[in-house]
Amino acid sequence: MKLQGTRVVFLSTCNSASGTSPIQEAVDSLAEAFLTAGVETVIAFLWPVADQSAAEISKEFYSKLVTPGTRPSVALAHVKKHFKKQDDNYYWSSYTALACYGTDKPLRDLIQ
């Protein structure tokens, strides 16, 4: 799978930033598979999150991301700050931004 030039992938599935991958010899997680394929930033979950919370956080994330020049990691930081004020940290702290900035090479080329 080649996804060079893809700015962001939002994996709205439980444990997508951790755990084992179906391709165990190649990558450690679903998020790493997307980075290896060339995606610049992957937003993923470290543990399960309720569907309603995930929907609210995703909606807020994309509303921040549409601002020109906003990096996905910055949009996620704004969302976490917003939800930190009103929710239990269990729901918003599961999200993480994984990225390979500063290079035009996919992750697979950097780790070989």
Side-chain angles (χ1 to χ4, degrees):
M1 178 169 53
K2 294 182 180 180
L3 297 173
Q4 284 84 1
T6 303
R7 184 172 174 220
V8 63
V9 167
F10 193 105
L11 298 175
S12 190
T13 183
C14 299
N15 303 321
S16 53
S18 61
T20 57
S21 161
I23 317 165
Q24 292 179 347
E25 297 83 30
V27 294
D28 291 328
S29 69
L30 184 58
E32 187 179 334
F34 278 93
L35 289 172
T36 301
V39 173
E40 291 177 20
T41 304
V42 177
I43 307 298
F45 292 92
L46 293 169
W47 55 80
V49 174
D51 289 344
Q52 182 178 349
S53 296
E56 291 172 17
I57 290 169
S58 299
K59 181 179 176 182
E60 187 71 19
F61 171 78
Y62 283 109
S63 74
K64 300 290 184 198
L65 189 63
V66 297
T67 304
T70 301
R71 288 181 125 167
S73 57
V74 173
L76 184 61
H78 284 292
V79 171
K80 285 184 167 189
K81 184 176 181 181
H82 171 78
F83 282 94
K84 184 177 182 178
K85 295 176 185 175
Q86 59 188 355
D87 278 334
D88 181 356
N89 66 0
Y90 179 84
Y91 296 106
W92 59 263
S93 61
S94 175
Y95 291 83
T96 188
L98 306 165
C100 252
Y101 288 120
T103 181
D104 58 356
K105 295 181 181 179
L107 179 62
R108 70 173 171 269
D109 293 344
L110 298 173
I111 59 175
Q112 291 180 353

